[in-house]
Amino acid sequence: MRLISRLNPAEGIGDFWAYIRRPQPYRWPILGVSILMSGTLLFWVMGEKYYLPPERPRVSYITSFAPDRTDAEIIASNRENQARKEALAAEQAEREETRREIYRAFGRAAGMDVEEIEREAAQERAQEQAAEQARREAMTGDSIADRPE
């Protein structure tokens, strides 16, 4: 019971009222700043932040082909692309052969055995291709295409 008698708010309010009624030059500014600080603290603590779920993105598809193409148009487009691909590959092979000719001429001018170097390079390429083929077969395992009918 002693604790409750100590926590009597009437005495505290009486003391506060006596202090405010006393004539002091800064009592109203001090009271205003006190209320402002307490209010700001309560506003900051009680503030609730609610984040809305993000808006679902609108997906727009970019199509390169007309959606109403016929099978014949698709086949013709595929053949045209394949012809373009083969022309580019032939052009690339021609450039590589020209480059090899330049290196052969340079090698001959430097006194190197160009044919021996080409044989070694061909062997290395064959070994690399065989290793790549073995790696692919190991990854894919038994293929349906390899099975006898």
Side-chain angles (χ1 to χ4, degrees), residues 40-142:
T40 303
L41 182 67
L42 285 174
F43 179 76
W44 179 66
V45 169
M46 302 290 281
E48 179 180 349
K49 292 182 181 176
Y50 180 72
Y51 296 103
L52 294 173
E55 185 179 323
R56 291 185 58 100
R58 283 182 261 144
V59 179
S60 57
Y61 296 97
I62 300 173
T63 57
S64 300
F65 303 109
D68 57 345
R69 292 187 312 158
T70 64
D71 288 343
E73 290 173 337
I74 294 171
I75 292 170
S77 171
N78 288 348
R79 285 186 179 153
E80 180 183 325
N81 289 336
Q82 185 64 31
R84 187 178 311 128
K85 181 180 171 184
E86 289 170 357
L88 289 174
E91 219 175 280
Q92 179 69 25
E94 185 179 325
R95 283 194 298 265
E96 288 175 0
E97 186 58 36
T98 303
R99 190 178 70 199
R100 283 191 200 104
E101 283 298 323
I102 292 170
Y103 282 121
R104 284 186 198 120
F106 179 70
R108 285 189 190 103
M112 297 180 185
D113 186 10
V114 178
E115 286 77 23
E116 178 64 28
I117 294 172
E118 285 183 2
R119 277 195 299 276
E120 288 176 6
Q123 285 177 347
E124 287 179 14
R125 279 194 300 271
Q127 288 174 354
E128 288 174 1
Q129 287 176 352
E132 179 66 21
Q133 182 66 25
R135 184 186 69 83
R136 286 184 182 178
E137 287 177 3
M139 285 176 57
T140 58
D142 188 23

Side-chain angles (χ1 to χ4, degrees), residues 3-17:
L3 182 62
I4 296 176
S5 64
R6 282 190 196 170
L7 298 176
N8 189 358
E11 292 177 9
I13 293 171
D15 287 344
F16 175 73
W17 188 251

